[in-house]
Amino acid sequence: MNRKPFLSTSGAALLLCLGVLSAVAPAQLIPPADKFEWTPWRGPEQNGISRETGLVDDLDFSGAAGGTLLWKSEELSGRSTPIVMNGKLYTLTRTYPGTPREGEQVICADAKTGEILWRNQFNVFLSDVPDTRVGWSCVVGDPTTGRVYALGVSGLFQCIDGETGDTLWSRSLVEEYGLITTYGGRTNVPIVFEDLAIISGVIVGWGDTPEWGLMSKPAHRFLGFNKASGELVWLGGTRLIPYDTTYSTPIVSVLDGTAAMVFGSGDGAVWAMQPRTGQAIWNFPFSRRGLYTTPLVDRGVTYMGQAEENLVGTQMGAIVAIDSKGQEIWRENEVMAGRAAPLKIGDRLYVVDLGAKLYIFEAETGKLINRRALGRTMFSSPIYADGKIYLFTTDARGYVLRPSDEGVEIVSTLRMPRVGGESHGSPIVAHGRIYVPTTDFLYCFGDADHEPAAAERPPAPEEAPLEDTQPAIVQVVPAEILMQPGQQQEFRVTLFNKRGQQLDQPAEGQFELVGPGEFSEAGQYTAPGGPQHTAARVTFKQGDLTGTARIRVIPPLPWKFDFESGEVPLTWVGGRVRHVVRNLDGENVMAKVDTIPTRPGEPDTKLGTRSMTAFGSADMSDYTIQADVRGQLKDGRLADFGLVNQRYVLDLQGASQRLQVRSWSAVLRMAKTIPFEWQPDKWYTMKLTTEPDGERLLVRAKIWARGEAEPEEWTIEAVDESPNHSGSPGLFGNTSDAEAYFDNIAVQQN
C-alpha cells in the first residue's frame, strides 16, 4: 500500500486546520443536574443514593383511596430502569407486543402524572433476542442539553431530543462496527461524559492485523461518540476474545486525581479506563466469566461483586474492594453478588446476592456485620434515600429498610399484586416520588401534597489540576469513518497528557497515510476513485507518539465479489477470521468456518459461528443481492446460511430443509417459511430483493441450481407492514455444525 508522509507546522494555523479543542479545566466530572432528578441509571451521584427527604415509607400497591400509589402505567412497564429529567420520565420498553409491528421504543411521560408525551419507536432486527428481553438497556439523560441517549437490543444507538422525541442522530452498531447482539438481549447502558456519549459491547469489526487494530477479533470495546454530532471520537477495548458478553455499566469517578470510568468487562476483569481517550489505566482479574454488576466507586475505592467461578479454587462468587491503583484491599468469597449493584452508606457496604440475601460489611476491612434473607432472587439494584433502603426482589417482593447498629430494621414489607410482574429494573427517586418498574406496570408512589426537599449533596470528586502539559496521547478524529470515492474528510488532532487531560497546545508532528487516496498538509483526506472496496489509515506522529484513524472507502453499487484475489475483503464488518478463502473444485470460494481461532495454545471455539457480515453503509435501500451458495455435510449435519438485504435475512436452513425470510429471528413478527429440500455439496444461486410498496415493503427471494435458468417466479415472498427502511447488504451463517460456502456475490440497485 502507499505510504505518504506529510509534514505539519506549529502555531495558530495548525490549531485552526486541525481543530484542536480548548483544554478542559479541572471541574466536577459529571455536571450536577437538578437535585430532585435522576438522569443516569444509578442516580445523580452514580451510587444509588438520593438526598431527597420526606419520602413515604409504605408503598401501597393496592391503589386504595388515600394510599401512597399516585399512579401506575402498563405502557411504561418493562425491565429497564427509568430516568427523570426536566420533569419528564424516560424509559425503554416493548411496543405493540404480539403484532406485526412489534418492536422497541423510547417512551416519554409526564413524571408527575404518567401521561404519555411521545414515543420514539423502532424495529428489532438482525437479533436473536426474545421479546421478553426487549428494553434490556436503560436510557441516560444529559442535563446540559436535555437530550436522551438510548441503545436498543439490535444495536441501534440514538441521540433523541428530550422535548420532542425526534432522533437527532443514530448509529447502527451491528452494521457499522460489528456489535454482537445475543439471545440474552444484554445491551449495555450508555454514559454521558463532557462532550461524549459512550457505549460498549462485544464488537467484531474489520481489520485482522495489528496494523488495523485486530478489530476482526472479538473484544469488549467502547465507542466514544461526539454527543452532539455522532462522530466517533475514540474506540478502545479490553482483552481480545473475551469469555462472555458484557453487562456492567461504567461509573465515572476520580482515581488518584485521574478521571476514570470503572466497569466490569466481558473478560472477567474490572477495568479502569480514561473516558476522554479510551486508554486503559488498570485492570483487576476477578472472574473466569464476564461481569454483570455495575461497580460502586467511593473515595477512590472500587467495590465490585460477581457470581461466577473465581480464578483460584472452585468457589463461586465474591465481593472485592480495589484501591485506586487497581490492587486488592479485601475480598470475601462465596458471596453471589452477581446482579445488584452495591450500596455504601456511611462506613458500611450493603450487598444483595442473587438469592436476595443482604450482606452488610465494614467497607474499610470487609468484616461481615450481618446478613439477612429477603426473598428468592434479586436482579434489580437497591437505592438509599431519606435514611431508608428501598429494594425489590425479582418476584416483586419489596422492602423498606432502615440501617441500624446491628444491621437493618424493616420499616415496611411490600407485596405487589399477582399481576405485578417481575422486578428487573431498579427503583428511582425524583421530585419527592419513588418510581418502581416491573414487567407489568411502572408504579409511582408518594404524597401528593408533599413539597420536595433535599439535603445538600457531598462534593463530587474532582480530578487533579492541569499541571502536566507533556503530551502523552494523540487522538485523531474521526477515529473511524466510511466514505465514498472522491469524498473528502478533514481529520483533527487533539493532545492529552498521561492523565487523559486535554492539552491546549498545537500538535507538532507529521501525518502519514497508509493506503489509497490523497492527503493534504491541512489534514484533509480525499478518497480514491474507482469501483474498489478499499481501506486506509491516517496516522499522526509527534515524536514517539502516534494516533491513528481508520477509513473504509465503499463505492456506489453495483458490486461484485468473486474471491479470485484469495482474500476476504478487508472492509467487510465481521468478514475476516470468521471467513476464509478456500480452493474448492479448482476455484477460489469463501468459506464461513465451523470453528474460530482463539488465543495461542487454546482450542478453536464454536462461539461466533452464528453471525452476520455487513458489506456497506447502514443507510442503503432498494437493492438486490445475489450469490452462489453451497452447504457442507459434516457428521450428518448441515449449516444454516444465506443473504442479508436491508435488515432482512434469507436463510437456507439445513436441518429443517426450509427456506425462510425474516428480520427478527427470535420473534417472527414478519416472516415467511416454506419447505425447501436442498442437497449438500451442491451449488445453488440465491437472490434477495426489497422493494417499497407504499408504507409497506415487499421482500422477495429466489433460489435455483447454479447453471440452470433463473426461474421467473419468486420462490418466497413476504410483506412487512412495519418495514426496515434501510440496512447494509451482507451474509448470514450459522456454521456450528458444518461450513457454508459463498461465491460470485453481486449487489445492484433496483
Side-chain angles (χ1 to χ4, degrees):
M1 286 187 285
N2 297 333
R3 185 175 295 272
K4 304 174 183 177
F6 292 91
L7 295 178
S8 298
T9 55
S10 61
L14 183 69
L15 269 170
L16 179 63
C17 75
L18 297 184
V20 177
L21 306 177
S22 59
V24 178
Q28 292 184 355
L29 296 179
I30 302 295
D34 183 287
K35 62 183 178 181
F36 298 114
E37 300 201 325
W38 191 283
T39 52
W41 91 273
R42 284 306 283 156
E45 300 172 31
Q46 303 180 85
N47 57 6
I49 293 176
S50 169
R51 304 295 168 177
E52 292 203 42
T53 58
L55 302 176
V56 295
D57 293 341
D58 184 20
L59 309 188
D60 181 7
F61 287 90
S62 69
T68 59
L69 178 61
L70 299 178
W71 56 264
K72 68 179 181 180
S73 171
E74 188 174 7
E75 292 182 279
L76 296 168
S77 65
R79 58 189 306 128
S80 183
T81 299
I83 65 166
V84 171
M85 181 175 67
N86 297 330
K88 296 179 177 63
L89 181 143
Y90 304 90
T91 191
L92 267 171
T93 73
R94 295 170 63 183
T95 184
Y96 303 116
T99 74
R101 299 178 64 193
E102 182 166 1
E104 194 168 10
Q105 64 181 339
V106 177
I107 188 168
C108 171
D110 185 304
K112 188 174 183 179
T113 66
E115 176 190 0
I116 305 300
L117 301 177
W118 55 254
R119 305 170 189 268
N120 185 307
Q121 299 174 340
F122 44 96
N123 282 347
V124 177
F125 54 88
L126 302 178
S127 176
D128 298 332
V129 62
D131 52 8
T132 53
R133 298 191 177 190
V134 169
W136 178 288
S137 181
C138 308
V139 301
V140 63
D142 179 12
T144 62
T145 64
R147 294 172 178 171
V148 174
Y149 297 85
L151 178 66
V153 290
S154 299
L156 184 65
F157 187 43
Q158 296 187 83
C159 169
I160 298 172
D161 187 306
E163 287 295 320
T164 66
D166 295 334
T167 297
L168 301 177
W169 59 260
S170 67
R171 292 290 191 187
S172 179
L173 302 186
V174 171
E175 296 164 289
E176 296 183 59
Y177 303 102
L179 178 80
I180 296 176
T181 66
T182 68
Y183 177 84
R186 302 172 181 114
T187 42
N188 286 79
V189 177
I191 64 171
V192 174
F193 174 79
E194 293 177 351
D195 62 346
L196 297 172
I198 302 172
I199 189 62
S200 78
V202 173
I203 288 176
V204 180
W206 62 275
D208 61 339
T209 63
E211 293 80 11
W212 293 104
L214 291 172
M215 287 294 297
S216 63
K217 290 183 178 289
H220 181 189
R221 293 184 167 103
F222 282 80
L223 302 103
F225 293 99
N226 181 290
K227 70 179 184 181
S229 67
E231 179 181 64
L232 184 64
V233 176
W234 62 261
L235 192 158
T238 65
R239 280 188 286 265
L240 295 176
I241 314 176
Y243 310 111
D244 211 340
T245 187
T246 64
Y247 320 88
S248 176
T249 303
I251 297 299
V252 177
S253 192
V254 173
L255 303 176
D256 284 341
T258 297
M261 60 179 192
V262 184
F263 57 91
S265 179
D267 65 3
V270 184
W271 286 72
M273 183 179 284
Q274 294 178 0
R276 298 187 188 101
T277 69
Q279 298 289 314
I281 300 172
W282 51 255
N283 70 82
F284 177 84
F286 189 34
S287 165
R288 293 189 184 277
R289 296 194 63 84
L291 301 176
Y292 285 71
T293 312
T294 292
L296 170 68
V297 184
D298 183 80
R299 301 176 191 176
V301 177
T302 297
Y303 301 93
M304 185 68 175
Q306 55 100 343
E308 306 297 333
E309 186 178 352
N310 289 308
L311 295 172
V312 178
T314 59
Q315 296 173 324
M316 298 284 289
I319 182 78
V320 69
I322 307 167
D323 69 17
S324 59
K325 299 185 185 300
Q327 301 300 309
E328 181 178 314
I329 300 173
W330 59 262
R331 176 185 183 124
E332 185 69 23
N333 288 334
E334 296 187 280
V335 178
M336 299 290 286
R339 298 294 190 275
L343 276 174
K344 185 172 182 290
I345 305 169
D347 59 0
R348 292 184 177 182
L349 189 72
Y350 297 76
V351 177
V352 185
D353 73 3
L354 286 178
K357 184 180 294 182
L358 173 65
Y359 291 79
I360 305 170
F361 299 97
E362 284 186 357
E364 185 176 355
T365 66
K367 177 184 176 182
L368 180 65
I369 295 172
N370 207 335
R371 59 185 170 191
R372 182 168 195 154
L374 300 174
R376 293 193 296 270
T377 58
M378 178 88 171
F379 286 176
S380 68
S381 294
I383 62 170
Y384 178 71
D386 193 27
K388 301 179 284 287
I389 298 171
Y390 296 84
L391 63 83
F392 293 85
T393 62
T394 305
D395 57 349
R397 183 186 301 273
Y399 291 88
V400 180
L401 309 172
R402 181 174 287 112
S404 65
D405 290 341
E406 293 76 22
V408 292
E409 60 183 41
I410 296 178
V411 176
S412 61
T413 303
L414 319 165
R415 182 66 181 175
M416 297 182 190
R418 183 176 296 274
V419 295
E422 294 186 339
S423 175
H424 293 276
S426 304
I428 71 169
V429 172
H431 298 280
R433 300 176 178 218
I434 302 166
Y435 299 87
V436 181
T438 74
T439 54
D440 281 345
F441 294 99
L442 175 68
Y443 297 88
C444 174
F445 297 98
D447 180 348
D449 299 323
H450 171 65
E451 187 69 26
E456 290 298 317
R457 292 178 186 160
E462 296 186 3
E463 62 183 324
L466 179 55
E467 297 174 345
D468 177 10
T469 59
Q470 179 66 34
I473 300 167
V474 175
Q475 189 178 82
V476 181
V477 180
E480 184 169 310
I481 189 169
L482 187 150
M483 301 176 66
Q484 292 188 353
Q487 187 177 351
Q488 295 182 326
Q489 174 68 45
E490 288 190 5
F491 286 87
R492 309 184 302 277
V493 175
T494 309
L495 302 178
F496 299 85
N497 64 14
K498 64 183 179 181
R499 288 186 180 272
Q501 295 171 305
Q502 188 175 317
L503 303 178
D504 187 8
Q505 60 182 254
E508 298 179 340
Q510 168 178 297
F511 275 114
E512 184 176 271
L513 174 66
V514 179
E518 299 294 333
F519 207 87
S520 73
E521 293 187 16
Q524 181 171 277
Y525 172 76
T526 302
Q532 301 303 315
H533 292 242
T534 60
R537 300 194 307 275
V538 172
T539 299
F540 188 85
K541 294 185 177 181
Q542 179 163 318
D544 295 331
L545 305 176
T546 61
T548 300
R550 307 192 321 154
I551 304 164
R552 286 189 297 154
V553 181
I554 307 296
L557 299 178
W559 302 337
K560 182 70 179 291
F561 307 99
D562 61 13
F563 311 106
E564 289 306 314
S565 68
E567 293 186 331
V568 177
L570 177 65
T571 56
W572 286 7
V573 173
R576 297 192 175 180
V577 177
R578 285 172 165 76
H579 302 81
V580 299
V581 174
R582 296 231 174 97
N583 190 279
L584 197 64
D585 299 331
E587 61 178 333
N588 279 354
V589 302
M590 187 185 74
K592 189 175 193 309
V593 294
D594 60 356
T595 59
I596 295 176
T598 56
R599 300 174 183 84
E602 295 186 6
D604 292 350
T605 179
K606 297 288 186 181
L607 295 175
T609 51
R610 179 182 173 89
S611 62
M612 65 158 286
T613 300
F615 299 164
S617 170
D619 61 7
M620 296 176 65
S621 62
D622 195 18
Y623 57 84
T624 297
I625 180 171
Q626 179 174 310
D628 294 338
V629 300
R630 173 174 164 174
Q632 176 195 46
L633 179 67
K634 184 177 181 180
D635 298 329
R637 298 181 179 181
L638 294 167
D640 296 345
F641 55 93
L643 310 178
V644 178
N645 181 324
Q646 204 166 305
R647 299 172 180 167
Y648 298 93
V649 175
L650 175 63
D651 186 4
L652 190 61
Q653 299 176 343
S656 57
Q657 291 286 283
R658 302 186 307 179
L659 185 67
Q660 183 179 83
V661 170
R662 64 174 185 268
S663 179
W664 178 3
S665 63
V667 179
L668 300 178
R669 66 155 190 90
M670 170 274 160
K672 184 73 173 290
T673 307
I674 63 171
F676 188 85
E677 293 187 11
W678 58 277
Q679 301 299 317
D681 302 320
K682 177 179 178 179
W683 284 103
Y684 295 86
T685 300
M686 300 178 77
K687 175 187 281 190
L688 176 63
T689 188
T690 54
E691 181 181 340
D693 180 32
E695 295 183 356
R696 311 184 312 165
L697 192 77
L698 304 180
V699 185
R700 298 180 291 192
K702 296 179 182 180
I703 181 168
W704 65 97
R706 186 173 75 171
E708 296 182 359
E710 177 181 341
E712 293 185 6
E713 300 297 322
W714 297 102
T715 310
I716 187 170
E717 299 181 72
V719 176
D720 194 352
E721 305 287 348
S722 180
N724 302 315
H725 295 290
S726 65
S728 170
L731 304 175
F732 163 80
N734 181 4
T735 55
S736 300
D737 294 328
E739 292 188 343
Y741 306 103
F742 298 87
D743 199 8
N744 301 317
I745 300 170
V747 187
Q748 63 183 18
Q749 202 71 49
N750 292 339

